[in-house]
Amino acid sequence: MPIYLIGMMGSGKTTLGKILSDILDKKFIDIDTEIEKLERKKIHHIFLQKGEEYFRDVETKILKKTENEDAIISTGGGIILKKENREILKKHKTLFLYVPIEILLKRIDTENRPLLKNGKYKLYDIWNKRKELYENFKKIDLKNFDIYESTAKILYEICEKKSSEIVNDFQKIIFKVKGIEDLKDKKNIFTSEIVNKIYGNNFINPYILENGEKIKNIENVKKIYLYLIKNNINKKDAIYGVGGGTVTDLIGFIGSTFKRGIKTIFYPTTLLSQVDAALGGKNAINFEDIKNIIGTFKVPDKVIIDPLTVISQKNENYYEGIIEAFKLAIIDGNISLFLDNIKKIKKRNLNIIMDIIKFSVKTKLSIVSKDPFDNNIRKILNLGHTFGHSFESITGISHGLAVGWGIKKEIELFGPNIKDKKLILDFLEEIIPENIYNMNININKLKKFILHDKKIIFKNQITIPIINTVGNVELKKIDILNYL
Ligand SMILES: NC(=O)c1ccc[n+]([C@@H]2O[C@H](COP(=O)([O-])OP(=O)(O)OC[C@H]3O[C@@H](n4cnc5c(N)ncnc54)[C@H](O)[C@@H]3O)[C@@H](O)[C@H]2O)c1
């Protein structure tokens, strides 16, 4: 089935089309490129030598050929000018990518754009002539969105709703492509600014929190308790945590303490929250600069994972989720899921993201269900976290990347000769930005933080997960000073 992207020059049809084709495993066709290949000339030469009418005829010929392609197809801005073309486009899924002229003017140059040969400001005339024709098609307003946010917005128009349950006895997890759209008739939605900016069209009157770690504090807890009291929320009502791990941690804590526990439903929207934070029933807020020092255990009543939300994440945040999932693979043994698919992971291929989420849910919950209150085996999930947390506190680098650095450091210290060391390190090196991966931290600084770690049992004794080999991670009691 062809999916056509139409819109003004500079609206992102080609850039977004290529990203979408990688995400969806579909072919990508650019009609302008096909015209240039067929004519063996640049577009402005075709215009100059043969005129616009000739160009439009070739364009129609190629458009007709694409009708049987299962592809993402980017079109030239003027394709909608001909009635014949509009009729073809109307038979298929065609999306109009709208970006205001003021933004387009900043983006485009005039090279190989024959219609702008008299200057960029001609764009206003072109828009005025075409806008009504574009409006015949499904419009996606991309004015406030970056590349990945725009890609996600388009995916919600392309993908079909699909849902399945990930079966386990510990926690109810529903995997639902486009699940976030179900929030349209729900009350008591708590979300973050960015999530509201991108997905707010699905929320009625949400409670909007700032972005990031700073929301996990006692002041927000008080404000939300007051909000719930004012709105007469009681045990039969549900509250919805819609966002990354910071939102699910905060709302999980509120849900477990308000009226001694009310119905709590999570829609985790970052990969890290889908593969880790929303699973297993731990929640926490920070206090006096101590991370996760106040919290409870309460398994949320439902977790709905919509994998499409991952696509709109900033690269760094996306990779944080990949690292936490890779940690689970080192524990479980299934690192080939990651090593064999590194290119697809980098291109955010949806099938591989879905496989990684499903694998992570299964693996994390199978560990957590054996030790729900974190007294024993669940602690192996702290792999990379002892050094990772210290690194995070010292450098301020975000959690997931710090855990990646921590895994590398812990391998160097505790398992320099393990069998699959190179495979693990090569993968981390591909994923973590070079300056972070190779960052050296003063050993005394590290020592200071590690000796205050929650996992210290007595003096310098710490229980720490140590990799024997991939698929065999063991909790060991060690004297940390023997290694630092
Ligand atoms: N409870 C647990 O078991 C557990 C486990 C691991 C981590 N955590 C906690 O999770 C938190 C980290 O979670 P995180 O990495 O999701 O960070 P986060 O919640 O801060 O999200 C990162 C950023 O991405 C934005 N965002 C969220 N969804 C988005 C989307 N779909 N598209 C674009 N942007 C989006 C957020 O607004 C934020 O700015 C930490 O506080 C950590 O302690 C908890």
Side-chain angles (χ1 to χ4, degrees), residues 70-315:
D70 185 23
I72 306 288
I73 301 164
S74 93
T75 61
I79 200 152
I80 37 75
L81 290 170
K82 266 173 86 171
K83 188 160 177 256
E84 188 181 2
N85 294 353
R86 293 198 298 277
E87 272 162 12
I88 295 173
L89 291 169
K90 272 201 200 126
K91 283 196 282 167
H92 305 282
K93 189 169 260 316
T94 299
L95 302 170
F96 160 38
L97 311 188
Y98 169 73
V99 178
I101 301 295
E102 296 66 36
I103 299 179
L104 295 181
L105 282 171
K106 286 187 200 140
R107 279 189 196 169
I108 55 170
D109 56 35
T110 49
E111 201 187 321
N112 203 24
R113 297 204 190 270
L115 296 178
L116 298 185
K117 64 178 187 297
N118 296 326
K120 273 189 188 186
Y121 289 90
K122 192 87 178 88
L123 212 54
Y124 282 105
D125 294 344
I126 299 173
W127 170 243
N128 285 332
K129 255 193 232 148
R130 292 179 185 171
K131 66 181 173 201
E132 268 177 32
L133 302 177
Y134 284 132
E135 300 282 355
N136 284 313
F137 298 90
K138 174 79 199 172
K139 176 177 176 179
I140 309 185
D141 187 342
L142 301 179
K143 80 170 158 287
N144 293 319
F145 301 124
D146 70 18
I147 286 188
Y148 279 116
E149 292 167 353
S150 299
T151 308
K153 292 302 279 185
I154 299 171
L155 280 171
Y156 276 87
E157 294 298 333
I158 295 178
C159 292
E160 298 291 327
K161 250 196 175 125
K162 228 189 308 174
S163 113
S164 59
E165 201 160 319
I166 304 183
V167 181
N168 68 84
D169 293 336
F170 188 79
Q171 189 172 357
K172 192 169 173 68
I173 310 281
I174 294 161
F175 191 79
K176 197 166 193 182
V177 176
K178 293 171 81 167
I180 206 158
E181 293 184 346
D182 296 349
L183 288 165
K184 280 188 170 132
D185 59 353
K186 304 286 189 292
K187 283 194 265 174
N188 307 323
I189 290 173
F190 295 83
T191 191
S192 66
E193 282 167 349
I194 295 185
V195 175
N196 188 56
K197 182 190 86 167
I198 310 169
Y199 302 106
N201 56 321
N202 299 300
F203 313 150
I204 317 164
N205 234 347
Y207 185 110
I208 301 167
L209 294 147
E210 286 177 73
N211 299 308
E213 193 64 28
K214 57 184 172 301
I215 64 165
K216 285 174 51 175
N217 62 45
I218 199 86
E219 285 74 33
N220 273 332
V221 172
K222 273 168 68 180
K223 280 187 203 158
I224 296 174
Y225 285 156
L226 286 170
Y227 173 90
L228 297 178
I229 292 167
K230 205 174 122 214
N231 287 289
N232 294 321
I233 302 303
N234 55 49
K235 277 184 171 287
K236 66 178 188 345
D237 298 308
I239 54 170
Y240 294 83
V242 185
T246 52
V247 172
T248 55
D249 263 13
L250 175 67
I251 298 309
F253 180 73
I254 305 265
S256 82
T257 48
F258 188 73
K259 299 197 173 174
R260 295 198 191 92
I262 55 174
K263 201 168 169 193
T264 310
I265 297 176
F266 288 165
Y267 279 75
T269 57
T270 61
L271 185 59
L272 186 135
S273 56
Q274 296 178 352
V275 301
D276 195 0
L279 312 172
K282 272 194 199 176
N283 61 62
I285 56 164
N286 308 327
F287 187 69
E288 296 286 316
D289 284 340
I290 310 171
K291 198 172 148 74
N292 295 338
I293 189 81
I294 300 176
T296 69
F297 287 94
K298 181 194 191 287
V299 177
D301 296 83
K302 229 195 274 178
V303 175
I304 292 96
I305 296 181
D306 178 349
L308 292 189
T309 61
V310 170
I311 302 300
S312 57
Q313 284 194 264
K314 303 258 176 295
N315 245 336

